[in-house]
């Protein structure tokens, strides 16, 4: 169950939420396959002006994506290709919807969860 938390400048996000959610979901489905589409969970967090900073200065050209994935993705023979595709596809989705000037400042972090640490509705997610 891929779950994404995306932090973007609030001023750049407002009004684009539905299009961005669709683009991020498409990006995951393009990498994993259509079977994953209904499992994608997206949380968008708008960051108020002045609360994204780089080098001690406020900026509005940064985006942060944390993608929770099952630890097994890193054990696959094609792990390097799959993870590279995820990073590129999610960055492309943000750049396409929010603006290409965010591309250089978009960080995608893949966070692995073992099956015994993932719960949905209080029960282990299978």
């Amino acid at each position: 169950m891929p779950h994404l938390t995306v932090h973007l400048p609030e001023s750049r996000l407002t009004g684009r939420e539905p299009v961005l959610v669709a683009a991020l979901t498409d990006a995951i489905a393009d990498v994993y396959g259509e079977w994953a589409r209904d499992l994608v969970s997206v949380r968008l967090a708008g960051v108020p002006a002045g609360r994204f900073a780089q080098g001690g200065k406020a900026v509005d050209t940064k985006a942060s994506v944390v993608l929770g994935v099952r630890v097994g993705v890193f054990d696959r023979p094609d792990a390097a290709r799959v993870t590279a595709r995820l990073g590129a596809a999610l960055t492309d989705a943000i750049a396409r919807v929010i603006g290409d000037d965010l591309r250089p400042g978009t960080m995608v972090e893949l966070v692995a969860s073992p099956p015994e640490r993932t719960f949905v509705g209080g029960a282990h997610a299978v």
Side-chain angles (χ1 to χ4, degrees):
M1 176 170 53
H3 51 279
L4 297 91
T5 301
V6 183
H7 291 87
L8 294 156
E10 182 71 41
S11 62
R12 310 277 307 262
L13 176 61
T14 302
R16 296 182 171 130
E17 296 90 344
V19 176
L20 183 57
V21 167
L24 293 167
T25 302
D26 288 347
I28 296 294
D30 287 348
V31 174
Y32 280 118
E34 279 301 314
W35 65 266
R37 181 176 298 280
D38 288 341
L39 302 176
V40 176
S41 174
V42 178
R43 289 171 300 285
L44 301 177
V47 179
R51 293 191 182 174
F52 251 120
Q54 180 73 39
K57 297 179 185 172
V59 296
D60 73 346
T61 55
K62 299 290 179 188
S64 171
V65 179
V66 177
L67 172 59
V69 296
R70 290 295 180 101
V71 71
V73 75
F74 299 109
D75 296 331
R76 297 169 48 147
D78 61 348
R81 184 180 64 78
V82 169
T83 56
R85 286 183 62 207
L86 286 168
L90 294 169
T91 300
D92 289 347
I94 289 171
R96 191 170 48 255
V97 174
I98 305 298
D100 203 54
D101 62 317
L102 263 73
R103 182 181 301 281
T106 296
M107 181 181 72
V108 176
E109 182 180 5
L110 305 180
V111 178
S113 296
E116 65 273 10
R117 295 186 189 169
T118 304
F119 299 83
V120 176
H124 275 113
V126 183

